[in-house]
Amino acid sequence: MSFRFIHSSDLHLGRKFASIPQPADGNIRGRLMEARHGAIAALARAARDHGAAHVLLAGDSFDTPTPSPAIVRQAVAAMAEAADLTWWLLPGNHDNLRDAEPLWDTVRQAGHSNIAVLDADRPVAIRPGVTLLPCPVRFRAGASDPTEAMQQMEVPAGDIRIGLAHGGVTDFTDSGGAIAPDRDARARLDYLALGDWHGRMRVSDRVHYCGSPEQDRFKHGTPGLCLAVTIDAPGAAPQVTEVRTGHFHWTEIALQVTPGADAVAALALALPPTGRRDTLLRLRLSGRARLAGRAELMAAALAAAPEFAHFEIRADDLATEHDASDLDLIDRPGGALRIAAEALAADPDDRIARDALARLYSYVKEGAE
């Protein structure tokens, strides 16, 4: 009676990653897009490794309701090639039933028996003794709990009941369009597989967000993964195992700087020593630094940046300290650059002026070397 499956969601196939700057000598956006397609093969490996014959995708398999024909056809072909697995696709808010009707028609018309589009609020027999209760998203924004229909779904007595939905779980203090946190109990579910939240989250023993199989933002801080789930019998507690599927890792490092401390050495210790080519890194600097120390730190960060898939520096919270001796290194008193530096230094709370002063100092130092 034991049933094993893979719970995944939010592949966002076709995502263009327009917010990531494209370096002149690289193609990080293309690599990120390809990794999202590669997540299909990663999910297939996870299923085989854990003895699962079914992959449940809890919404937003595609990033938009109108992905390019190549994105759709290649995704369908990759799933069809894994003919030993059955792929259950639930429309989410990005690829909802109304806006993405041609998309789902294309998937259905491909005619692959191992790919099923869950386009109705009705129970589906996955295999004898196991019933799936899907609730596809009909519109991009809804005002009601998308899982409410599960309570009215008729399921054969003694079946394992698995809910599949896409949306947020809250305590109903917002608009009322969120999933009830106790939906598993209300609908007598053995497991509720949720999508929409791109990070891993356990809501309760029976309610889980799997996150995205590939990270797509710095927010969550965990690598892309899926969940391998085993349910031994109706009413039994599900056994949930996290399985890493992600190729890229998005990570954010916070570095506190203090005058007199060796910030360059601290940076070297904070940066990941391996896997840099497949790491997107955001460096957040805070604290206080002298002009010279700030310039050295920025130079060290920029020197390491090309080793990473993407590297960005956020220094809004890094204050710059200086005195007359620092300004003397820029120009003599009365000199044009000195006058400009003094004007920039006049308001220490002006972030733009503070950054400009630090950059002016760096330019002068570079020119002197």
Side-chain angles (χ1 to χ4, degrees):
M1 187 60 181
S2 181
F3 181 65
R4 296 177 180 176
F5 63 94
I6 294 296
H7 168 199
S8 187
S9 182
D10 295 279
L11 276 67
H12 285 276
L13 297 168
R15 188 163 214 163
K16 293 182 169 57
F17 296 94
S19 64
I20 299 295
Q22 187 82 307
D25 58 350
N27 183 29
I28 181 56
R29 292 180 190 168
R31 293 182 64 209
L32 291 171
M33 291 179 68
E34 181 58 29
R36 303 209 79 77
H37 177 80
I40 297 173
L43 292 172
R45 286 194 298 270
R48 293 174 185 131
D49 289 346
H50 289 81
H54 298 267
V55 180
L56 277 56
L57 300 180
D60 286 355
S61 295
F62 297 93
D63 191 54
T64 72
T66 56
S68 70
I71 293 293
V72 180
R73 294 288 296 276
Q74 290 170 15
V76 169
M79 293 179 191
E81 287 174 10
D84 54 327
L85 307 175
T86 301
W87 301 80
W88 303 89
L89 278 63
L90 184 84
N93 60 306
H94 279 253
D95 49 16
N96 63 84
L97 283 174
R98 184 187 67 176
D99 298 334
E101 184 177 356
L103 160 64
W104 297 118
D105 285 343
T106 298
V107 176
R108 282 188 290 262
Q109 289 165 7
H112 297 293
S113 60
N114 70 323
I115 303 175
V117 178
L118 300 165
D119 56 5
D121 297 326
R122 61 170 175 262
V124 177
I126 291 184
R127 74 166 204 198
V130 181
T131 298
L132 184 63
L133 285 65
C135 290
V137 177
R138 299 189 177 282
F139 309 100
R140 182 171 178 94
S144 62
D145 181 348
T147 66
E148 196 167 351
M150 290 180 185
Q151 289 183 224
Q152 284 73 48
M153 293 185 189
E154 296 293 333
V155 175
D159 270 17
I160 291 175
R161 301 163 61 99
I162 301 172
L164 186 65
H166 188 89
V169 172
T170 74
D171 59 0
F172 289 100
T173 58
D174 297 314
S175 65
I179 296 170
D182 60 347
R183 180 60 65 201
D184 59 317
R186 295 190 195 187
R188 305 178 309 284
L189 301 175
D190 294 292
Y191 185 86
L192 177 53
L194 294 176
D196 190 37
W197 184 249
H198 289 202
R200 167 77 174 107
M201 182 191 297
R202 175 190 173 278
V203 180
S204 68
D205 287 347
R206 299 183 185 276
V207 182
H208 293 262
Y209 285 96
C210 55
S212 174
E214 273 288 342
Q215 276 185 285
D216 57 7
R217 60 193 70 180
F218 292 104
K219 181 176 182 178
H220 301 295
T222 55
L225 52 82
C226 68
L227 301 179
V229 184
T230 302
I231 303 175
D232 288 330
Q239 303 163 43
V240 181
T241 302
E242 297 180 359
V243 183
R244 178 159 181 176
T245 52
H247 179 78
F248 286 96
H249 186 44
W250 299 55
T251 185
E252 187 170 76
I253 293 175
L255 187 63
Q256 179 82 19
V257 179
T258 57
D262 191 341
V264 173
L267 174 65
L269 289 173
L271 293 179
T274 60
R276 293 186 175 188
R277 186 175 186 273
D278 298 324
T279 298
L280 292 87
L281 187 138
R282 174 182 287 166
L283 176 64
R284 285 194 177 275
L285 302 176
S286 61
R288 298 173 295 113
R290 296 293 295 266
L291 274 174
R294 180 184 178 118
E296 292 171 359
L297 176 59
M298 290 298 184
L302 293 175
E307 299 176 14
F308 290 83
H310 169 74
F311 192 106
E312 62 183 66
I313 302 172
R314 301 289 178 90
D316 295 356
D317 296 326
L318 179 62
T320 305
E321 298 180 347
H322 61 274
D323 57 23
S325 64
D326 293 316
L327 301 186
D328 287 342
L329 296 174
I330 295 176
D331 198 359
R332 68 186 188 284
L337 291 180
R338 177 61 174 265
I339 293 172
E342 290 172 345
L344 293 171
D347 185 358
D349 295 326
D350 185 333
R351 180 180 61 81
I352 295 176
R354 186 176 67 213
D355 291 346
L357 176 62
R359 185 163 297 187
L360 175 60
Y361 179 90
S362 297
Y363 287 157
V364 171
K365 291 292 291 181
E366 289 173 7
E369 293 175 355

